[in-house]
Amino acid sequence: MERKLEALQEEALEKIASARDLAELEQLQVEFLGKNGKVTGVLRGMGRLDPEERPKVGKKANQVKEIIEKELEARLQILKADQEKQRLQEEAIDITLPGKPLQGGRIHPMQLIIEQLEDMFLRMGFSIEEGPDVETDYYNFEALNIPENHPARDMQDTFYVEGGLLLRTHTSPVQVRTMEKQTPPIRMITSGKCYRVDELDATHSPVFHQLEGLVIDRGITFSHLKGVLIAVTREIFGAGREVRFRPSYFPFTEPSAEVDVSCFKCQGQGCSLCSRTGWLEILGAGMVNPRVLEMSGIDAERFTGFAFGMGLDRMAMYKYEIEDIRHLWDNDLRFLKQF
Ligand code: FA5
């Protein structure tokens, strides 16, 4: 019996020493020490031994069991360490290799101009308001003194959507929404997309951006309007670029004006970009028509105001000397990386 145990020990140690992985080791544990294992079998057969033999064999069997257990544990540690080493080797990173260059994003010129203008108007005490892109006929036209069949509706060819709604043709409806909500003094700006059935060309896009401004208080005059717009255009375009006010017509302002800056391409000499005029139009403005004030619940006897609507795409084009509005929408990285 004792010799059998020794033989089992020898066999187990040999097999343990040559076990190549954890699964093999687990199998050996079952083979020798499991419930039906070889060593366990010997211990079970002790009942058939002479009583004086039993303690000796029992002791030997326990020794063999302990030795096998110890060897299993030692081999387990070695195999685990080998496995870890192999994993580290497989996952090794060569830290001397050069990294991939990070592609930094740039701010879109449209966003640059919006941020610069918002910053300027906030410094002058204006608030920033918002309005919906999908508007009602009332806010886009009616409340701005553009009744049905008014020729001014043709100036802003409109995209209509279901339910009698439309895509706003300008940001002026936000003026009306603000006048309805706030009481004078009002100093607000708003910016966002506008939509018109306009043919796409170098200076027109069916979707474009405007920044609207409105000031209402006692004693507001056209001089205030000029002062604000000259300050803003100077800061955006620099003192070197000329700015001019030209009489114009909008049903919601009286008197009305349009503002042009001198053409960056021909320095005011006249070229194809400025239709040989030397000037580029950037915005419409004027003193708010008293009818518009009254329709929005503001007493036109006590208060006057001015408003303006800047074409932001055009402002960005003329500031950054971009000759075609489509560059602002194409998202060509070669173009965008310049800002
Ligand atoms: C208006 O939209 C008026 N609501 C502006 C206004 C506001 C006047 C408040 C008085 C008081 P107009 O249609 O001229 O006006 O457009 C204003 C500016 O938007 C233009 O000067 C131009 O810079 C820009 N714009 C108009 N249509 C387009 C277009 N299709 N693509 C790009 N920019 C455009």
Side-chain angles (χ1 to χ4, degrees):
M1 202 67 149
E2 275 172 274
R3 226 170 303 126
K4 195 173 168 195
L5 280 166
E6 266 160 26
L8 275 180
Q9 178 180 322
E10 206 173 312
E11 182 194 344
L13 297 191
E14 223 167 79
K15 283 185 171 169
I16 290 168
S18 56
R20 275 165 317 207
D21 56 37
L22 300 183
E24 228 177 279
L25 214 55
E26 210 164 294
Q27 255 175 11
L28 291 175
Q29 142 92 25
V30 174
E31 182 182 337
F32 289 95
L33 306 179
K35 226 160 69 183
N36 300 314
K38 292 176 176 167
V39 178
T40 324
V42 174
L43 283 167
R44 250 197 229 122
M46 279 192 5
R48 292 192 298 273
L49 290 177
D50 290 341
E52 61 270 23
E53 284 255 339
R54 275 185 217 158
K56 237 165 77 193
V57 174
K59 197 171 161 207
K60 180 75 185 165
N62 279 330
Q63 270 172 359
V64 168
K65 201 174 142 200
E66 252 170 55
I67 287 169
I68 295 176
E69 267 169 359
K70 252 195 212 143
E71 273 313 291
L72 279 170
E73 179 58 29
R75 185 76 188 141
L76 181 75
Q77 293 312 325
I78 290 170
L79 287 179
K80 270 191 180 163
D82 282 355
Q83 217 177 37
E84 181 70 3
K85 205 165 128 193
Q86 199 183 344
R87 190 180 68 80
L88 289 176
Q89 260 165 8
E90 277 167 12
E91 290 176 8
I93 297 167
D94 183 353
I95 53 167
T96 63
L97 283 175
K100 284 189 193 150
L102 280 180
Q103 293 274 348
R106 300 291 168 95
I107 299 177
H108 194 280
M110 206 63 231
Q111 187 63 25
L112 282 176
I113 204 104
I114 291 176
E115 281 175 13
Q116 199 181 350
L117 284 165
E118 281 185 351
D119 186 54
M120 242 181 275
F121 282 108
L122 286 173
R123 273 190 269 132
M124 288 191 268
F126 283 68
S127 68
I128 297 179
E129 307 296 331
E130 279 183 27
D133 285 25
V134 179
E135 264 298 0
T136 61
D137 186 272
Y138 178 77
Y139 285 111
N140 197 79
F141 293 122
E142 202 77 31
L144 288 162
N145 197 32
I146 317 176
E148 227 176 311
N149 304 320
H150 192 287
R153 291 212 183 198
D154 296 339
M155 286 162 59
Q156 305 187 353
D157 223 346
T158 313
F159 288 110
Y160 286 91
V161 293
E162 278 172 29
L165 298 170
L166 51 88
L167 298 181
R168 66 177 179 192
T169 56
H170 51 174
T171 39
S172 300
V174 189
Q175 282 185 33
V176 179
R177 289 180 177 276
T178 308
M179 284 190 282
E180 283 180 355
K181 274 192 304 210
Q182 297 180 12
T183 50
I186 294 172
R187 258 181 291 178
M188 61 74 82
I189 56 161
T190 186
S191 65
K193 289 198 181 76
C194 304
Y195 310 81
R196 288 185 198 175
V197 187
D198 272 346
E199 206 69 54
L200 184 64
D201 64 22
T203 51
H204 292 84
S205 166
V207 186
F208 59 99
H209 300 81
Q210 281 189 350
L211 183 137
E212 188 86 10
L214 173 73
V215 172
I216 296 177
D217 204 345
R218 286 173 202 270
I220 295 291
T221 68
F222 202 87
S223 312
H224 294 117
L225 165 63
K226 273 190 99 170
V228 167
L229 290 180
I230 287 172
V232 169
T233 43
R234 282 257 163 80
E235 199 166 321
I236 295 282
F237 296 106
R241 199 81 75 77
E242 278 188 70
V243 177
R244 76 169 181 189
F245 282 68
R246 186 166 40 79
S248 187
Y249 170 76
F250 297 103
F252 35 96
T253 48
E254 180 56 37
S256 304
E258 279 180 314
V259 174
D260 304 331
V261 288
S262 54
C263 179
F264 65 85
K265 197 176 165 197
C266 61
Q267 311 302 333
Q269 299 306 302
C271 66
S272 57
L273 183 68
C274 58
S275 310
R276 321 248 159 247
T277 62
W279 296 96
L280 298 163
E281 178 202 312
I282 50 168
L283 64 89
M287 299 304 292
V288 182
N289 190 319
R291 262 183 69 83
V292 173
L293 292 176
E294 294 287 350
M295 269 192 281
S296 300
I298 290 176
D299 184 353
E301 294 287 320
R302 288 163 64 212
F303 296 104
T304 52
F306 69 78
F308 54 86
M310 299 175 168
L312 291 177
D313 308 66
R314 301 263 180 95
M315 299 270 282
M317 285 172 73
Y318 305 154
K319 178 177 168 65
Y320 298 115
E321 310 199 347
I322 301 163
E323 285 183 31
D324 198 310
I325 199 168
R326 286 166 279 210
H327 289 311
L328 293 170
W329 296 89
D330 284 347
N331 285 332
D332 184 332
L333 284 180
R334 290 168 303 179
F335 169 76
L336 295 175
K337 274 182 179 165
Q338 299 175 70
F339 297 93

